[in-house]
Amino acid sequence: MPMAEGGAIAQLMAALHAVGKDNVELVPQEAYQNDADVTISVGGPSLNSASAGILRAGFPRFSIKYPEHIASYGTTTFSPEITSSGELREDYGFLACSRPRPDKYCIVVCGVWAAGTQMAVSALVAAERKSEIRKRIIGRETFFAVMHGEVRGLAQESVQTVEVRSVGA
Protein backbone atom coordinates (compact mmCIF):
# COMPACT_ATOMS: atom_id res chain seq x y z
CA MET A 1 0.00 0.00 0.00
CA PRO A 2 1.39 3.42 -0.88
CA MET A 3 2.17 5.74 2.04
CA ALA A 4 -0.53 8.25 1.06
CA GLU A 5 -3.20 5.54 1.22
CA GLY A 6 -1.98 4.44 4.65
CA GLY A 7 -2.22 8.09 5.72
CA ALA A 8 -5.74 8.25 4.27
CA ILE A 9 -6.82 5.23 6.35
CA ALA A 10 -5.33 6.78 9.50
CA GLN A 11 -7.11 10.09 8.78
CA LEU A 12 -10.40 8.30 8.18
CA MET A 13 -10.12 6.22 11.37
CA ALA A 14 -9.29 9.31 13.45
CA ALA A 15 -12.31 11.15 12.03
CA LEU A 16 -14.64 8.22 12.71
CA HIS A 17 -13.43 7.89 16.30
CA ALA A 18 -13.74 11.67 16.80
CA VAL A 19 -17.48 11.49 16.00
CA GLY A 20 -18.00 8.55 18.35
CA LYS A 21 -17.88 5.69 15.86
CA ASP A 22 -15.90 3.29 18.02
CA ASN A 23 -17.33 0.08 16.57
CA VAL A 24 -15.36 0.47 13.33
CA GLU A 25 -13.81 -2.71 12.00
CA LEU A 26 -10.71 -2.30 9.87
CA VAL A 27 -10.27 -5.33 7.61
CA PRO A 28 -7.96 -6.18 4.72
CA GLN A 29 -9.54 -6.77 1.34
CA GLU A 30 -9.22 -10.54 1.70
CA ALA A 31 -11.48 -10.44 4.77
CA TYR A 32 -14.13 -8.13 3.26
CA GLN A 33 -17.66 -9.35 3.89
CA ASN A 34 -20.59 -7.65 2.23
CA ASP A 35 -22.56 -7.60 5.49
CA ALA A 36 -21.87 -4.25 7.19
CA ASP A 37 -24.49 -1.49 7.21
CA VAL A 38 -21.84 0.94 5.92
CA THR A 39 -18.65 -0.01 4.12
CA ILE A 40 -15.87 2.45 3.38
CA SER A 41 -13.33 0.95 1.01
CA VAL A 42 -10.01 2.77 0.63
CA GLY A 43 -7.91 2.42 -2.50
CA GLY A 44 -8.49 1.94 -6.17
CA PRO A 45 -9.66 -1.14 -8.04
CA SER A 46 -6.18 -2.25 -9.07
CA LEU A 47 -5.04 -2.60 -5.45
CA ASN A 48 -8.28 -3.30 -3.60
CA SER A 49 -10.58 -6.08 -4.76
CA ALA A 50 -13.40 -4.84 -2.48
CA SER A 51 -13.27 -1.43 -4.20
CA ALA A 52 -13.15 -3.15 -7.59
CA GLY A 53 -16.34 -5.09 -6.87
CA ILE A 54 -18.24 -2.11 -5.45
CA LEU A 55 -17.20 0.12 -8.37
CA ARG A 56 -18.01 -2.54 -10.98
CA ALA A 57 -21.51 -3.03 -9.54
CA GLY A 58 -22.44 0.60 -8.89
CA PHE A 59 -20.29 2.61 -11.28
CA PRO A 60 -19.71 0.55 -14.45
CA ARG A 61 -18.84 3.68 -16.46
CA PHE A 62 -15.85 4.42 -14.17
CA SER A 63 -12.42 2.95 -14.83
CA ILE A 64 -8.77 3.57 -14.10
CA LYS A 65 -6.23 2.30 -16.61
CA TYR A 66 -2.93 1.07 -15.27
CA PRO A 67 -0.03 1.46 -15.78
CA GLU A 68 -1.13 4.59 -17.68
CA HIS A 69 -2.76 6.13 -14.58
CA ILE A 70 -5.68 7.59 -16.50
CA ALA A 71 -9.19 7.49 -15.07
CA SER A 72 -12.44 7.98 -16.91
CA TYR A 73 -16.09 8.25 -16.08
CA GLY A 74 -18.15 7.94 -19.23
CA THR A 75 -16.62 10.41 -21.70
CA THR A 76 -14.76 12.45 -19.04
CA THR A 77 -11.05 11.69 -18.67
CA PHE A 78 -8.89 12.44 -15.63
CA SER A 79 -5.19 12.41 -16.51
CA PRO A 80 -2.91 13.90 -13.82
CA GLU A 81 0.06 16.03 -14.87
CA ILE A 82 3.47 14.45 -14.49
CA THR A 83 6.64 16.47 -15.15
CA SER A 84 9.31 15.36 -17.63
CA SER A 85 11.34 14.16 -14.64
CA GLY A 86 8.46 11.90 -13.54
CA GLU A 87 7.20 14.04 -10.64
CA LEU A 88 3.45 13.97 -9.99
CA ARG A 89 2.18 17.58 -9.96
CA GLU A 90 -1.59 17.02 -9.58
CA ASP A 91 -4.01 14.22 -8.92
CA TYR A 92 -7.70 13.40 -8.91
CA GLY A 93 -9.56 11.75 -6.07
CA PHE A 94 -12.90 10.01 -6.34
CA LEU A 95 -15.71 9.42 -3.89
CA ALA A 96 -18.14 6.78 -5.16
CA CYS A 97 -21.14 6.26 -2.91
CA SER A 98 -23.82 3.68 -3.61
CA ARG A 99 -26.71 1.84 -2.06
CA PRO A 100 -26.54 -1.71 -3.41
CA ARG A 101 -29.36 -2.81 -1.08
CA PRO A 102 -31.87 -0.80 0.97
CA ASP A 103 -30.01 -1.72 4.18
CA LYS A 104 -26.45 -1.19 2.91
CA TYR A 105 -24.37 1.85 1.93
CA CYS A 106 -20.94 1.67 0.30
CA ILE A 107 -18.35 4.41 -0.04
CA VAL A 108 -15.21 3.95 -2.14
CA VAL A 109 -12.44 6.52 -1.83
CA CYS A 110 -9.69 6.24 -4.40
CA GLY A 111 -7.54 8.29 -6.72
CA VAL A 112 -5.70 8.00 -9.97
CA TRP A 113 -2.58 7.88 -7.78
CA ALA A 114 -2.40 7.39 -4.00
CA ALA A 115 -2.30 11.17 -3.48
CA GLY A 116 -5.78 11.32 -5.03
CA THR A 117 -7.02 8.74 -2.54
CA GLN A 118 -5.85 10.96 0.28
CA MET A 119 -7.57 13.94 -1.38
CA ALA A 120 -10.85 12.02 -1.50
CA VAL A 121 -10.59 11.01 2.16
CA SER A 122 -9.78 14.60 3.13
CA ALA A 123 -12.85 15.82 1.26
CA LEU A 124 -14.98 13.15 2.92
CA VAL A 125 -13.90 13.91 6.50
CA ALA A 126 -13.89 17.70 5.97
CA ALA A 127 -17.37 17.84 4.40
CA GLU A 128 -19.17 20.67 6.13
CA ARG A 129 -22.60 20.18 7.63
CA LYS A 130 -24.45 21.84 4.75
CA SER A 131 -22.16 20.66 1.94
CA GLU A 132 -23.60 18.76 -0.99
CA ILE A 133 -21.41 15.73 -0.26
CA ARG A 134 -22.47 15.55 3.38
CA LYS A 135 -26.17 15.94 2.54
CA ARG A 136 -25.94 13.16 -0.03
CA ILE A 137 -24.13 10.80 2.34
CA ILE A 138 -26.60 11.44 5.16
CA GLY A 139 -29.41 10.76 2.66
CA ARG A 140 -27.54 7.62 1.53
CA GLU A 141 -27.71 8.72 -2.08
CA THR A 142 -25.84 7.13 -4.95
CA PHE A 143 -23.41 9.67 -6.36
CA PHE A 144 -19.91 10.17 -7.71
CA ALA A 145 -17.68 13.09 -6.68
CA VAL A 146 -14.37 14.21 -8.15
CA MET A 147 -11.67 16.07 -6.24
CA HIS A 148 -8.62 17.74 -7.75
CA GLY A 149 -5.52 19.13 -6.14
CA GLU A 150 -1.85 19.88 -6.52
CA VAL A 151 0.79 17.45 -5.29
CA ARG A 152 4.02 18.71 -3.68
CA GLY A 153 6.08 15.75 -2.57
CA LEU A 154 3.93 13.95 -0.01
CA ALA A 155 1.56 16.91 0.46
CA GLN A 156 -1.69 17.65 -1.33
CA GLU A 157 -2.60 21.32 -1.74
CA SER A 158 -5.52 23.38 -3.07
CA VAL A 159 -7.84 20.37 -3.00
CA GLN A 160 -11.29 21.17 -4.33
CA THR A 161 -14.38 19.21 -5.18
CA VAL A 162 -14.79 19.82 -8.91
CA GLU A 163 -17.84 17.69 -9.64
CA VAL A 164 -20.64 15.87 -7.86
CA ARG A 165 -22.95 13.85 -10.08
CA SER A 166 -25.97 11.73 -9.33
CA VAL A 167 -25.81 8.16 -10.54
CA GLY A 168 -28.88 6.16 -11.49
CA ALA A 169 -32.28 7.16 -10.23
Side-chain angles (χ1 to χ4, degrees):
M1 169 183 295
M3 188 182 325
E5 288 188 351
I9 291 171
Q11 181 182 13
L12 182 59
M13 293 299 290
L16 289 169
H17 288 298
V19 296
K21 301 295 183 190
D22 294 323
N23 61 341
V24 176
E25 186 175 349
L26 185 62
V27 297
Q29 63 181 336
E30 300 83 26
Y32 170 66
Q33 301 287 319
N34 190 15
D35 59 355
D37 293 340
V38 177
T39 296
I40 302 173
S41 187
V42 179
S46 72
L47 296 174
N48 184 330
S49 60
S51 291
I54 294 166
L55 290 168
R56 192 173 34 258
F59 304 89
R61 299 182 64 211
F62 176 73
S63 68
I64 303 178
K65 292 182 185 176
Y66 294 105
E68 297 89 349
H69 285 89
I70 297 173
S72 63
Y73 193 102
T75 60
T76 307
T77 300
F78 307 96
S79 181
E81 176 189 350
I82 299 177
T83 66
S84 59
S85 62
E87 183 180 2
L88 183 64
R89 302 301 296 161
E90 67 175 346
D91 202 359
Y92 294 91
F94 308 104
L95 185 61
C97 301
S98 64
R99 196 170 184 171
R101 298 188 318 243
D103 62 335
K104 180 160 180 54
Y105 195 62
C106 295
I107 301 171
V108 173
V109 287
C110 64
V112 177
W113 294 86
T117 300
Q118 194 156 23
M119 289 176 191
V121 167
S122 294
L124 175 62
V125 301
E128 296 175 11
R129 183 174 300 267
K130 294 184 179 186
S131 73
E132 184 176 2
I133 287 175
R134 182 124 173 223
K135 285 183 208 174
R136 287 176 181 247
I137 288 173
I138 289 169
R140 294 198 172 196
E141 293 181 31
T142 297
F143 71 97
F144 187 84
V146 180
M147 293 73 197
H148 175 265
E150 298 173 12
V151 177
R152 304 277 182 253
L154 294 176
Q156 296 83 41
E157 302 172 349
S158 305
V159 178
Q160 296 182 6
T161 300
V162 295
E163 179 181 356
V164 180
R165 67 170 79 169
S166 295
V167 177

